[in-house]
Amino acid sequence: MPRRKANRGRTPAGAPNPVDVHVGSRMRLRRTLLGLSQEKLGEMIGLTFQQVQKYERGANRVSCSRLFDLSRSLDVPVSYFFDDMAVEVSNLSPVQMGREPPKEEPAAAEADPRLRRETLELVRNYYSITDPDVRRRIYDLAKALSSRGDADEG
């Protein structure tokens, strides 16, 4: 049986593995929610900001020991990085890709509005409001505006 060429977990097209992209997007989400720059996170785990950037894009794979360091630095369990992973993405792990060709690659993480920079900054700024009454009023306002938008469309 001929040996398969190592693809380092990438898709047949050479793109980063969707599982690695998901882990990187969860890393970016948590880093942004904590208000950390890529440079600051890199300092915390002994890497350059460029390496953090590659992890967040999924261009480089995160090793087990590095994932452990990241979970401690970002104050989340290791399982956090795999939370909310779509079945379509989990089915594209390197082992799964070797078993059968994927039907189609999942949409990019950027398609998820929860992962947009605007959303992350909004959440971080919301939680930085120290007055609970003001925070509640902003929440109520956002909820009322979104409900009003739904009513206008119907």
Side-chain angles (χ1 to χ4, degrees), residues 24-40:
S25 70
R26 296 290 294 176
M27 183 178 149
R28 181 178 60 240
L29 173 67
R30 183 65 179 164
R31 176 185 60 76
T32 305
L33 287 173
L34 292 175
L36 296 173
S37 66
Q38 289 176 334
E39 186 174 12
K40 180 65 177 166

Side-chain angles (χ1 to χ4, degrees), residues 46-122:
L47 296 174
T48 64
F49 81 90
Q50 291 97 332
Q51 184 64 43
V52 171
Q53 203 170 51
K54 288 178 182 180
Y55 283 156
E56 290 184 356
R57 285 193 330 257
N60 284 5
R61 304 183 86 187
V62 181
S63 69
C64 296
S65 55
R66 188 67 72 195
L67 194 62
F68 182 75
D69 288 341
L70 284 166
S71 74
R72 287 180 140 182
S73 297
L74 297 173
D75 194 29
V76 292
V78 171
S79 61
Y80 165 84
F81 297 101
F82 302 96
D83 288 348
D84 299 329
M85 184 183 298
V87 173
E88 299 83 26
V89 171
S90 65
N91 287 341
L92 291 171
S93 72
V95 167
Q96 296 297 329
M97 282 195 311
R99 289 187 179 146
E100 59 185 51
K103 304 271 190 267
E104 61 183 63
E105 292 186 19
E110 271 59 25
D112 186 347
R114 295 175 301 166
L115 300 177
R116 288 187 183 149
R117 176 175 298 280
E118 175 186 30
T119 305
L120 300 176
E121 288 177 3
L122 179 65

